[in-house]
Amino acid sequence: HSTLFTEFDTKVDPQQLQQLTTYWEGTRALYNPFEGFLRSAGADVYQHKMPGAQYTNIQFQSMINGDPTQWNITKQAYIDATAILGDIISAPPTSKAIGDLAQFMVSNKLSRKDVEDKAGELSLPTSVVDYLQGKIGRPHGGFPEPFTSRVLKGRRPFGASTLPDLDFTALKSKLDAIYTTYLPAEGLHQGDLLSYALYPQLFDEYMRKTLKYGHVSDLPTRQFFVPLQPGEEFIYYEKNNNNKKVNVKLTNVG
């Protein structure tokens, strides 16, 4: 309202904004369990630079044993892992390599110096090796040395001249054939192909769980996250089955 009756008036209707506010208040309540323990801004974000989703995932995994000090150790490991990999920007997909390396360091009680000195001997996470091979691109300034050479042991990182172009048409045909039993009529879409290209193992796990449990993305958010109570009923629509209406009711647990 501060711009009302001035030349800077936005002409935005506050009532329409309130509808958005109400929607997001309800949405945030549903996703509250995934916010971790962060209820306010944290100054240390300028040190570890974790993306939001990465922050809550790693925080949960580091504190699952009930030791609150583990989280501070993990944050420091994330800072060290970022430096080891060349002080790269921590955003997907590179943040996965950073996070995997940080957790690897914590699990094995390794310091930054340990990892850099023993890089050729350690069985580093696949995402780290893939990153150093250039499978998700080449960072500004190149890969960190001598760390990269020690990890790759003579293998050269992929470059623009050595990494072949991805044939999305051929990839779609290949994946449609593999996952044909649980795909919609149109097959995989572009987002699926990009997911497979970046994370083939994770995508395969996702598709196999889809085969086992069905397309859980059709379920309402609350019913997906929170178990039903006896007598509770809800309705959802199967997008891959002509929006067929499905009624679900939990009658008993036994």
Side-chain angles (χ1 to χ4, degrees), residues 141-217:
F143 295 102
E145 290 293 356
F147 180 72
T148 300
S149 296
R150 290 172 178 169
V151 173
L152 298 185
K153 301 174 185 176
R155 294 171 291 175
R156 295 182 60 188
F158 290 114
S161 59
T162 57
L163 189 63
D165 292 337
L166 181 61
D167 186 338
F168 281 100
T169 302
L171 179 61
K172 185 176 188 306
S173 298
K174 170 189 171 183
L175 297 182
D176 282 348
I178 295 174
Y179 304 118
T180 185
T181 55
Y182 45 104
L183 286 176
E186 67 273 15
L188 295 169
H189 55 71
Q190 189 73 10
D192 294 323
L193 301 181
L194 289 172
S195 296
Y196 179 87
L198 290 171
Y199 307 113
Q201 182 178 352
L202 291 177
F203 182 80
D204 182 69
E205 291 177 6
Y206 162 74
M207 292 301 291
R208 296 190 184 284
K209 286 184 178 180
T210 300
L211 172 62
K212 182 176 181 179
Y213 299 109
H215 289 275
V216 294
S217 60

Side-chain angles (χ1 to χ4, degrees), residues 14-29:
Q15 293 301 319
Q16 292 182 337
L17 289 179
Q18 184 56 45
Q19 292 178 24
L20 292 174
T21 299
T22 302
Y23 170 80
W24 285 111
E25 284 176 348
T27 300
R28 185 170 182 182

Side-chain angles (χ1 to χ4, degrees), residues 15 32 56 95 128 133 135 142 200 231:
Q15 293 301 319
N32 183 61
T56 51
S95 58
V128 174
Q133 283 192 292
K135 290 187 177 181

Side-chain angles (χ1 to χ4, degrees), residues 10 38 60 71 78 84 88 118 126 149 164 170 200 214 228 232 246:
T10 62
L38 188 64
F60 175 78
W71 175 225
Y78 197 95
I84 291 170
I88 55 177
K118 303 175 183 178
T126 301
S149 296
L228 295 179
E232 186 176 353
V246 179

Side-chain angles (χ1 to χ4, degrees), residues 63-124:
M63 299 180 71
I64 199 167
N65 63 356
D67 182 2
T69 63
Q70 194 76 356
W71 175 225
N72 287 329
I73 295 172
T74 303
K75 283 192 287 187
Q76 183 57 51
Y78 197 95
I79 295 170
D80 292 339
T82 302
I84 291 170
L85 296 179
D87 196 22
I88 55 177
I89 295 173
S90 181
T94 55
S95 58
K96 175 170 172 51
I98 300 172
D100 288 350
L101 179 57
Q103 291 178 299
F104 176 82
M105 293 169 66
V106 173
S107 298
N108 294 281
K109 295 180 171 56
L110 298 170
S111 66
R112 174 180 174 178
K113 187 176 187 305
D114 292 333
V115 175
E116 290 176 330
D117 290 347
K118 303 175 183 178
E121 308 167 22
L122 298 171
S123 181
L124 295 172

